[in-house]
C-alpha cells in the first residue's frame, strides 16, 4: 500500500509525501523495483539528478532486466547533457523492451545531439513505427531531412 500511495502522491505532485511513502515501501522490501524506480523519479522531479542517477544505477544492479530503470537512467543522462551515456542506457532499455517508443524517441534526440544523423534517423523511423502520430518524432524527422537537404 505504501508503494501505491507513493505513486498516487507523485502523480499529484506531492513529492515530499511521495518520497516518504516510497521510503516506507523500500524499508519493507528493498528489492521492489517499482519502488526504486519511483524513488529515482521523485529525486529527479525534485531536481536532484545526481542522486537520482546514483540510485538508478544501484536499482539496475538489483534488477538488470528492468527496461524502465534503464530508460530512467537514459532520461537522467539527457537532463545532465550526457548524451553518450544516455545512448548506452536507452539502447539497453530498447534491447530489454523493443516496444518502448519513448526510449526510441529519446535515443533519436540523443543521437541528434551527438551529430549522428544516420543513427538518429534510424531511431526516429523505429519510434514512428511504434507511435506513428508522435509530434516529437515528426519534428525530429523534419529537422533531420532539413539538415540532409532532402
Amino acid at each position: 500500500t505504501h508503494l501505491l500511495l507513493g505513486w498516487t502522491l507523485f502523480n499529484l505532485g506531492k513529492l515530499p509525501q511521495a518520497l516518504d511513502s516510497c521510503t516506507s515501501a523500500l524499508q519493507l522490501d528493498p528489492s521492489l523495483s517499482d519502488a526504486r524506480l519511483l524513488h529515482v523519479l521523485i529525486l529527479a522531479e525534485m531536481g536532484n539528478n545526481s542522486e537520482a542517477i546514483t540510485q538508478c544505477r544501484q536499482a539496475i544492479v538489483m534488477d538488470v532486466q528492468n527496461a524502465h530503470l534503464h530508460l530512467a537512467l537514459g532520461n537522467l543522462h539527457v537532463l545532465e547533457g550526457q548524451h553518450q551515456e544516455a545512448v548506452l542506457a536507452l539502447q539497453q532499455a530498447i534491447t530489454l523492451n523493443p516496444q518502448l517508443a519513448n526510449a526510441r524517441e529519446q535515443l533519436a534526440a540523443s543521437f541528434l545531439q551527438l551529430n549522428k544523423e544516420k543513427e538518429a534517423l534510424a531511431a526516429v523511423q523505429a519510434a514512428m513505427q511504434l507511435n506513428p502520430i508522435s509530434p516529437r518524432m515528426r519534428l525530429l524527422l523534419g529537422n533531420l531531412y532539413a539538415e540532409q537537404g532532402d
Side-chain angles (χ1 to χ4, degrees), residues 10-39:
F10 175 75
N11 289 328
L12 292 172
K14 298 182 177 186
L15 301 179
Q17 298 93 326
L19 187 59
D20 289 342
S21 291
C22 182
T23 301
S24 295
L26 286 169
Q27 287 172 342
L28 292 172
D29 186 353
S31 68
L32 284 175
S33 290
D34 286 345
R36 292 191 167 278
L37 176 61
L38 177 59
H39 187 234

Side-chain angles (χ1 to χ4, degrees), residues 96-109:
L96 293 169
N97 184 349
Q99 301 304 309
L100 282 177
N102 51 348
R104 292 181 184 278
E105 291 179 7
Q106 194 65 276
L107 180 63

Side-chain angles (χ1 to χ4, degrees), residues 1-18:
T1 60
H2 291 289
L3 181 56
L4 180 59
L5 178 60
W7 279 107
T8 301
L9 291 166
F10 175 75
N11 289 328
L12 292 172
K14 298 182 177 186
L15 301 179
Q17 298 93 326

Side-chain angles (χ1 to χ4, degrees), residues 14 16 21 28 31-32 37 41 56-58 81 84 87 94 116 126 139 142:
K14 298 182 177 186
S21 291
L28 292 172
S31 68
L32 284 175
L37 176 61
L41 296 175
C56 197
R57 286 185 178 143
Q58 290 174 1
Q84 190 60 50
V87 165
I94 292 165
K116 295 184 175 185
L139 179 62

